[in-house]
Amino acid sequence: MFIGGEWVDTDDHYDVINPATEEVNVTCAKATPAHVDAAVAAGKAAFESGEWRNTPPAERAALFDRVGQRVMARAEEFTVEGTKGTGMPLRLSGALGVGFPVGHVFHYAELIRKHEWVRPAPIGGAALQTGYIAKEPLGVTAGICPWNFPANFAMWKTLPSMAVGNSVVIKVDEKTPTFALELAAIFKEEGLPDGVLNVIVGDGPVVGEALVQHPDVALISFTGSTAVGRHVMEASAKHLKRVLLELGGKGPNIVLEDADLDIAVDGSIWAFCMHAGQACESGTRLLLPASIHDEFVERLVARMKTLKVGNPLDPATDIGPVMSAQQRERILGYIESGKAQGATVALGGDSPQGPGYEKGFWVNPTVFTNASNDMKISCEEIFGPVVSVIKYDTVDEAIQIANDTEYGLSAGIWTTDATKGLEIAQQLKAGSVWINDWHNINNDLPFGGYKQSGFGRELGPDALDEFTQDKAITIDLTNDLNKKFYGLVLSTPLGQE
Ligand code: NAD
Ligand code: MN
């Protein structure tokens, strides 16, 4: 762990497993609630010293930039580490595990430079009175991360908060602890004061819970399952913590009749197979018009048969393993439920067998046709490479099906008619809508959920505002007491006591 600028070990250790080989990647210390207390105390002391929050924004931004460059310089190492950690195929790991998160560091540095820290706000009608809106930090904020994109979440849960002068305690997922620890060490080497960034490794119900219950934590930024997110929000009520929740999804992917099929077929595979489907914003409900349904499915299946499932360190691999044996069993359980409820397996539906798959946690990419929107496979987040193909007749029906879900994280439309695409986009209840693309999470745009996919936004131009509180400051330069508002309402006018 990394607490108060120091590496902290404990007697309790556990092994972090490579999901492709089941080998031990690294052995890690497991935190207790006492470590959470120490980390929050370190964060609080750092915050109260004022050293970081009073560092000029330009210097903070420059520090972020140096950290980004340091991470980039180790791109190859982090790419391989990312692949060994989550099974993400090498090409994807380079782009999404390193390039993309480094972009976030530079983005947040830019936001620091552009941020309006204090805004003058003249008060109407009172010449000698004026106001200021100060954007102030909250104190100690906590981040709780899932395992699917360790570098991204290490960035998202720390940088926007640190950018505005808060201290942060981040609890990484127990399955993917290393990147955040290395990031904290780089920050320290580049001059971040001790205690501003603390990294805790341990079990959710123990140390995650301790963070959520801690009275000195002002905000919890959580990404993970809807069930745990709901619990985090309930538990946060006790101290009225702010919560940002980025939870599950069941993204509707609507193909229109006029779509460019080559682009839409590949894009739909990208939508649900990226990182073996282990992304909350995946496109896992594929809505096809009846008129092109059969042709589309035929092309989808043919194309998917060319994908290589296997060793994620092989640059030719398209799809790696899923994260754990437990995750594999969960996915296979959903696949069985799809079969039992009457959907047809058009491809996959099982785990690959034979050489190369003896070790590791594997699921074949799976396409269900004849699926309806009320089947379990269409309602619940599977978090694996599984898609439900749902046939529709009219565009209105497609929109209705798309919105008929408790989730609202992402949605997509494939069309050559941009006007129609935008008209549909306005009707979809989702935080991100991608026309002719998927997974287009962009530094310049806010990312987050509608409905039970959560609330709060990461990235985008206003990302720092989530981690500040507004202070309204007024100053009254009127010297004449009779011109003051309270001078008008006090019972005895001045000078007539
Ligand atoms: P999870 O919600 O169980 O865990 C996410 C994080 O919360 C982890 O760091 C975990 O240790 C922590 N946690 C667990 N219990 C906690 C508690 N009581 N208090 C505080 N923190 C706690 O998610 P998971 O185990 O990674 O995956 C389970 C499911 O969650 C997946 O199958 C998927 O449906 C969903 N998921 C969503 C995302 C996403 O990006 N939205 C990411 C990962 C998982
Ligand atoms: Mn869990």
Side-chain angles (χ1 to χ4, degrees):
M1 286 164 275
F2 197 81
I3 300 173
E6 305 289 337
W7 293 105
V8 175
D9 200 358
T10 64
D11 296 332
D12 193 8
H13 293 130
Y14 73 102
D15 292 335
V16 177
I17 303 297
N18 178 331
T21 63
E22 298 180 47
E23 284 162 6
V24 176
N25 277 334
V26 65
T27 297
C28 239
K30 203 180 237 188
T32 63
H35 295 103
V36 171
D37 289 342
V40 175
K44 191 177 177 186
F47 184 76
E48 284 176 358
S49 83
E51 187 183 353
W52 173 243
R53 83 185 126 99
N54 294 324
T55 300
E59 278 178 39
R60 276 189 259 160
L63 193 157
F64 273 39
D65 280 343
R66 293 197 301 278
V67 168
Q69 280 147 7
R70 289 278 305 275
V71 175
M72 204 59 213
R74 290 169 62 185
E76 218 167 300
E77 173 196 344
F78 287 133
T79 299
V80 172
E81 184 182 305
T83 291
K84 288 182 172 169
T86 68
M88 181 184 283
L90 208 56
R91 278 174 290 149
L92 196 59
S93 184
L96 272 188
V98 184
F100 189 55
V102 165
H104 301 324
V105 190
F106 297 136
H107 171 68
Y108 286 124
E110 274 314 293
L111 291 189
I112 295 174
R113 292 192 177 95
K114 287 191 292 202
H115 199 66
E116 196 177 32
W117 300 95
V118 179
R119 185 199 308 165
I123 298 170
L128 288 176
Q129 227 188 49
T130 194
Y132 300 89
I133 301 166
K135 300 263 177 198
E136 299 203 334
L138 301 163
V140 181
T141 76
I144 299 178
C145 304
W147 45 264
N148 49 347
F149 298 98
N152 277 309
F153 289 117
M155 304 290 190
W156 291 17
K157 301 298 171 197
T158 60
L159 303 188
S161 181
M162 285 159 52
V164 294
N166 293 303
S167 298
V168 177
V169 179
I170 171 179
K171 190 203 92 64
V172 291
D173 192 281
E174 44 277 42
K175 295 182 283 304
T176 51
T178 51
F179 183 86
L181 290 163
E182 297 186 79
L183 182 69
I186 294 171
F187 260 106
K188 179 179 164 94
E189 284 166 26
E190 291 301 331
L192 185 75
D194 290 347
V196 175
L197 175 55
N198 307 278
V199 182
I200 292 284
V201 182
D203 290 333
V206 180
V207 295
E209 189 69 34
L211 272 174
V212 175
Q213 302 285 353
H214 203 294
D216 289 334
V217 172
L219 172 152
I220 303 274
S221 174
F222 172 85
T223 297
S225 62
T226 295
V228 176
R230 187 171 286 120
H231 167 74
V232 166
M233 187 165 170
E234 281 168 3
S236 296
K238 187 172 165 205
H239 297 106
L240 295 173
K241 285 182 179 45
R242 256 196 224 185
V243 282
L244 307 176
L245 300 175
E246 202 264 277
L247 310 174
K250 198 69 200 178
N253 178 15
I254 306 174
V255 178
L256 299 187
E257 274 177 337
D258 61 27
D260 177 324
L261 292 195
D262 286 333
I263 288 191
V265 165
D266 274 21
S268 299
I269 296 170
W270 166 243
F272 85 93
C273 284
M274 192 273 287
H275 199 10
Q278 301 168 114
C280 45
E281 80 289 353
S282 294
T284 47
R285 292 183 294 145
L286 178 55
L287 277 49
L288 298 179
S291 57
I292 61 166
H293 173 277
D294 293 356
E295 184 193 355
F296 196 98
V297 169
E298 200 176 298
R299 289 171 74 157
L300 183 81
V301 166
R303 183 78 171 117
M304 286 184 63
K305 283 181 177 162
T306 69
L307 298 181
K308 193 166 176 290
V309 179
N311 175 8
L313 285 170
D314 178 349
T317 291
D318 296 297
I319 297 174
V322 297
M323 190 61 198
S324 60
Q326 186 194 359
Q327 200 67 15
R328 177 190 58 204
E329 296 315 311
R330 190 169 173 264
I331 298 164
L332 292 174
Y334 274 111
I335 290 173
E336 288 314 308
S337 88
K339 293 176 189 169
Q341 289 193 301
T344 307
V345 175
L347 184 74
D350 53 8
S351 284
Q353 305 295 330
Y357 306 111
E358 298 96 337
K359 290 281 180 183
F361 315 118
W362 305 95
V363 178
N364 276 317
T366 297
V367 177
F368 274 112
T369 52
N370 292 317
S372 63
N373 201 44
D374 54 6
M375 289 177 181
K376 209 171 152 183
I377 50 168
S378 308
C379 297
E380 296 179 20
E381 186 175 47
I382 298 175
F383 234 61
V386 181
V387 74
S388 300
V389 178
I390 301 169
K391 209 186 277 189
Y392 72 83
D393 288 314
T394 65
V395 171
D396 283 345
E397 186 192 353
I399 294 168
Q400 184 271 322
I401 295 169
N403 287 334
D404 185 10
T405 166
E406 66 189 31
Y407 292 116
L409 194 56
S410 63
I413 304 151
W414 302 85
T415 180
T416 50
D417 182 339
T419 303
K420 202 189 288 174
L422 287 169
E423 277 170 4
I424 297 172
Q426 288 177 320
Q427 298 176 68
L428 294 175
K429 298 190 176 98
S432 293
V433 180
W434 297 303
I435 301 172
N436 296 330
D437 203 354
W438 203 280
H439 300 299
N440 193 3
I441 298 174
N442 191 300
N443 271 317
D444 295 317
L445 299 172
F447 178 72
Y450 275 30
K451 302 196 278 184
Q452 292 188 42
S453 290
F455 48 80
R457 292 293 180 267
E458 296 179 290
L459 307 180
D462 306 318
L464 304 191
D465 292 345
E466 303 276 13
F467 296 90
T468 60
Q469 50 198 343
D470 285 1
K471 179 179 281 176
I473 303 171
T474 67
I475 178 162
D476 192 335
L477 302 172
T478 312
N479 284 327
D480 181 350
L481 278 176
N482 289 312
K483 287 186 179 158
K484 300 236 185 214
F485 178 71
Y486 56 82
L488 298 175
V489 296
L490 289 180
S491 56
T492 313
L494 204 71
Q496 297 176 21
E497 299 92 341

XYZ file of all heavy atoms in Angstrom, residues 144-148 153 171-175 202-205 208-209 212 222-226 228-229 231-232 246-248 279-280 327 330 381-383 409, ligand 1:
334
model
N -13.218 4.292 -5.376
C -13.291 2.828 -5.298
C -13.377 2.308 -6.734
O -14.261 2.711 -7.495
C -14.495 2.368 -4.457
C -14.349 2.898 -3.019
C -14.600 0.843 -4.459
C -15.501 2.545 -2.089
N -12.425 1.461 -7.084
C -12.237 1.076 -8.493
C -12.627 -0.369 -8.764
O -12.401 -1.242 -7.922
C -10.760 1.173 -8.870
S -10.028 2.757 -8.585
N -13.119 -0.637 -9.975
C -13.266 -2.011 -10.431
C -11.955 -2.472 -11.070
O -10.987 -1.721 -11.122
C -14.374 -1.905 -11.469
C -14.127 -0.579 -12.106
C -13.558 0.316 -11.015
N -11.966 -3.695 -11.588
C -10.731 -4.285 -12.091
C -10.556 -4.169 -13.599
O -9.493 -4.474 -14.129
C -10.691 -5.782 -11.718
C -12.006 -6.468 -11.983
C -13.001 -6.691 -11.065
C -12.507 -6.956 -13.232
N -14.093 -7.285 -11.673
C -13.812 -7.474 -13.003
C -11.978 -7.019 -14.535
C -14.597 -8.030 -14.016
C -12.766 -7.574 -15.534
C -14.052 -8.072 -15.274
N -11.602 -3.752 -14.324
C -11.528 -3.946 -15.775
C -10.559 -3.019 -16.505
O -9.955 -3.433 -17.491
C -12.934 -3.935 -16.405
C -13.788 -2.762 -15.974
O -13.464 -2.063 -15.018
N -14.879 -2.550 -16.668
N -9.014 3.781 -14.315
C -9.693 4.098 -13.062
C -8.738 4.712 -12.047
O -9.139 5.572 -11.262
C -10.442 2.877 -12.516
C -11.653 2.571 -13.358
C -11.769 1.385 -14.054
C -12.658 3.517 -13.490
C -12.878 1.131 -14.870
C -13.769 3.282 -14.303
C -13.876 2.080 -14.988
N -9.102 3.085 -3.308
C -9.075 1.636 -3.071
C -9.161 0.946 -4.412
O -10.171 0.997 -5.098
C -10.236 1.166 -2.203
C -10.025 -0.296 -1.786
C -11.269 -1.049 -1.419
C -11.916 -1.792 -2.553
N -11.119 -2.884 -3.138
N -8.059 0.319 -4.806
C -8.057 -0.378 -6.086
C -8.740 -1.729 -5.905
O -8.875 -2.226 -4.784
C -6.627 -0.567 -6.614
C -6.052 0.771 -7.018
C -5.736 -1.238 -5.586
N -9.179 -2.304 -7.000
C -9.745 -3.641 -6.909
C -8.633 -4.604 -6.505
O -7.491 -4.491 -6.956
C -10.354 -4.052 -8.248
C -11.198 -5.310 -8.105
O -10.621 -6.417 -8.048
O -12.430 -5.180 -8.020
N -8.993 -5.562 -5.667
C -7.998 -6.503 -5.160
C -7.347 -7.321 -6.276
O -6.209 -7.769 -6.149
C -8.609 -7.416 -4.085
C -9.995 -8.001 -4.387
C -11.196 -7.085 -4.085
O -11.145 -5.877 -4.383
O -12.197 -7.599 -3.568
N -8.020 -7.441 -7.437
C -7.470 -8.239 -8.539
C -6.481 -7.451 -9.408
O -5.732 -8.050 -10.172
C -8.616 -8.776 -9.421
C -9.526 -9.771 -8.674
C -10.642 -10.352 -9.534
C -11.817 -9.427 -9.789
N -12.503 -8.889 -8.595
N -7.190 -3.985 -0.944
C -7.882 -4.899 -0.034
C -9.298 -5.180 -0.473
O -9.747 -4.722 -1.528
N -9.999 -5.939 0.357
C -11.334 -6.419 0.003
C -12.382 -5.321 0.124
O -12.376 -4.548 1.081
C -11.722 -7.584 0.915
C -10.894 -8.819 0.596
O -10.439 -8.942 -0.564
O -10.691 -9.652 1.497
N -13.306 -5.350 -0.814
C -14.377 -4.356 -0.830
C -15.168 -4.291 0.461
O -15.301 -3.222 1.066
N -15.720 -5.418 0.898
C -16.572 -5.364 2.096
C -15.813 -4.972 3.368
O -16.435 -4.624 4.373
C -17.107 -6.796 2.219
C -16.987 -7.358 0.828
C -15.760 -6.722 0.244
N -13.162 -1.194 1.484
C -14.065 -0.316 0.733
C -15.128 0.209 1.676
O -15.427 1.408 1.729
N -15.673 -0.700 2.439
C -16.712 -0.357 3.422
C -16.189 0.663 4.442
O -16.877 1.627 4.789
C -17.156 -1.650 4.123
C -18.368 -1.502 5.006
C -19.658 -1.239 4.222
O -19.805 -1.761 3.100
O -20.507 -0.511 4.761
N -16.207 4.038 2.968
C -17.560 4.572 2.824
C -18.103 5.039 4.178
O -18.845 6.013 4.263
C -18.479 3.499 2.182
C -19.913 3.979 2.134
C -17.996 3.148 0.777
N -17.309 6.066 -7.066
C -17.349 4.603 -7.144
C -17.652 4.149 -8.567
O -18.577 4.676 -9.204
C -18.440 4.069 -6.205
C -18.693 2.582 -6.354
C -17.922 1.661 -5.666
C -19.687 2.117 -7.209
C -18.139 0.291 -5.823
C -19.915 0.755 -7.372
C -19.140 -0.158 -6.674
N -16.915 3.185 -9.065
C -17.276 2.497 -10.304
C -17.313 1.015 -10.019
O -16.382 0.465 -9.431
C -16.278 2.801 -11.436
O -16.309 4.195 -11.728
C -16.644 2.035 -12.700
N -18.395 0.373 -10.420
C -18.528 -1.066 -10.190
C -19.959 -1.485 -10.420
O -20.680 -0.868 -11.216
N -20.361 -2.508 -9.693
C -21.690 -3.069 -9.938
C -22.785 -2.182 -9.344
O -22.565 -1.443 -8.384
C -21.767 -4.468 -9.328
O -21.584 -4.392 -7.932
N -23.964 -2.291 -9.903
C -25.097 -1.517 -9.415
C -25.447 -1.916 -7.982
O -25.796 -1.065 -7.158
C -26.295 -1.688 -10.373
O -25.927 -1.106 -11.627
C -27.541 -0.988 -9.863
N -23.439 -2.987 -5.519
C -22.529 -2.364 -4.550
C -22.714 -0.843 -4.568
O -22.695 -0.191 -3.523
C -21.058 -2.770 -4.805
C -20.128 -2.035 -3.850
C -20.875 -4.277 -4.652
N -22.949 -0.280 -5.751
C -23.178 1.163 -5.860
C -24.359 1.619 -5.015
O -24.311 2.654 -4.340
N -25.473 0.163 -2.375
C -25.059 0.071 -0.976
C -24.177 1.267 -0.582
O -24.340 1.843 0.495
C -24.318 -1.251 -0.740
C -23.604 -1.296 0.559
N -24.276 -1.439 1.758
C -22.299 -1.151 0.873
C -23.398 -1.402 2.743
N -22.190 -1.221 2.240
N -23.272 1.642 -1.465
C -22.376 2.781 -1.188
C -23.203 4.043 -0.958
O -22.952 4.817 -0.027
C -21.379 2.982 -2.359
C -20.683 4.340 -2.280
C -20.346 1.854 -2.378
N -20.691 5.240 -11.014
C -20.659 4.800 -12.408
C -20.833 3.289 -12.368
O -19.948 2.570 -11.933
C -19.346 5.229 -13.052
C -19.441 5.303 -14.551
C -18.938 4.038 -15.182
O -17.732 3.903 -15.355
O -19.791 3.183 -15.493
N -22.032 2.856 -12.769
C -22.429 1.469 -12.492
C -22.572 0.663 -13.784
O -21.888 0.925 -14.751
C -23.714 1.484 -11.658
C -23.620 2.413 -10.427
C -24.947 2.513 -9.713
C -22.526 1.943 -9.474
N -23.469 -0.279 -13.777
C -23.558 -1.193 -14.916
C -24.266 -0.593 -16.121
O -24.713 0.553 -16.113
N -16.748 -4.436 -20.088
C -16.815 -2.977 -19.996
C -18.269 -2.624 -19.752
O -19.165 -3.174 -20.396
C -16.311 -2.332 -21.279
N -18.468 -1.703 -18.812
C -19.839 -1.345 -18.437
C -20.607 -0.724 -19.592
O -21.816 -0.837 -19.669
C -19.786 -0.376 -17.271
S -18.553 0.908 -17.523
N -15.988 -15.205 -12.665
C -16.597 -14.425 -13.751
C -16.982 -15.361 -14.905
O -18.055 -15.227 -15.490
C -15.598 -13.354 -14.190
C -16.191 -12.180 -14.938
C -17.104 -11.312 -14.083
O -17.116 -11.404 -12.858
N -17.905 -10.485 -14.746
N -20.071 -17.236 -14.007
C -21.208 -16.323 -14.042
C -21.690 -16.141 -15.484
O -22.881 -16.198 -15.777
C -20.750 -14.991 -13.435
C -21.833 -14.005 -13.173
C -21.291 -12.835 -12.312
N -22.330 -11.824 -12.225
C -22.387 -10.767 -13.013
N -21.449 -10.543 -13.917
N -23.385 -9.915 -12.896
N -26.609 -7.250 -16.676
C -25.255 -7.060 -17.188
C -24.467 -8.360 -17.013
O -24.269 -8.832 -15.900
C -24.573 -5.922 -16.422
C -23.231 -5.571 -16.990
C -22.604 -4.365 -16.313
O -22.599 -4.314 -15.067
O -22.122 -3.474 -17.039
N -24.017 -8.922 -18.139
C -23.321 -10.215 -18.100
C -21.825 -10.021 -17.869
O -21.175 -10.815 -17.215
C -23.598 -10.995 -19.410
C -25.109 -11.283 -19.536
C -22.778 -12.285 -19.456
C -25.524 -11.934 -20.849
N -21.284 -8.940 -18.396
C -19.850 -8.652 -18.274
C -19.011 -9.755 -18.893
O -18.038 -10.247 -18.317
C -19.467 -8.419 -16.809
C -18.763 -7.097 -16.611
C -19.389 -5.915 -16.921
C -17.466 -7.045 -16.107
C -18.754 -4.698 -16.748
C -16.818 -5.830 -15.925
C -17.468 -4.651 -16.253
N -26.370 3.781 -19.599
C -24.993 4.280 -19.700
C -24.645 4.656 -21.141
O -24.202 5.764 -21.410
C -24.030 3.221 -19.156
C -22.606 3.684 -18.870
C -22.587 4.853 -17.902
C -21.782 2.532 -18.294
P -17.993 -4.794 -7.559
O -19.046 -3.760 -7.582
O -18.199 -5.987 -6.727
O -16.619 -4.149 -7.109
C -16.184 -2.838 -7.489
C -15.331 -2.279 -6.373
O -16.123 -2.125 -5.196
C -14.167 -3.183 -5.966
O -13.041 -2.396 -5.655
C -14.694 -3.855 -4.725
O -13.656 -4.299 -3.884
C -15.484 -2.744 -4.101
N -16.496 -3.160 -3.127
C -17.149 -4.331 -3.051
N -17.982 -4.335 -1.982
C -17.865 -3.128 -1.388
C -18.480 -2.522 -0.249
N -19.371 -3.159 0.502
N -18.126 -1.257 0.051
C -17.247 -0.590 -0.690
N -16.627 -1.114 -1.767
C -16.937 -2.373 -2.115
O -17.708 -5.185 -9.041
P -16.805 -6.409 -9.537
O -16.629 -7.440 -8.490
O -15.599 -5.830 -10.097
O -17.726 -6.965 -10.687
C -19.033 -7.426 -10.445
C -19.949 -6.843 -11.489
O -19.904 -5.412 -11.460
C -19.543 -7.152 -12.910
O -19.907 -8.411 -13.314
C -20.221 -6.041 -13.642
O -21.579 -6.326 -13.836
C -20.088 -4.878 -12.731
N -18.944 -4.015 -13.055
C -19.152 -2.803 -13.610
C -18.080 -2.004 -13.932
C -18.236 -0.689 -14.537
O -17.277 -0.177 -15.113
N -19.386 -0.026 -14.414
C -16.792 -2.418 -13.703
C -16.593 -3.647 -13.097
C -17.680 -4.406 -12.776
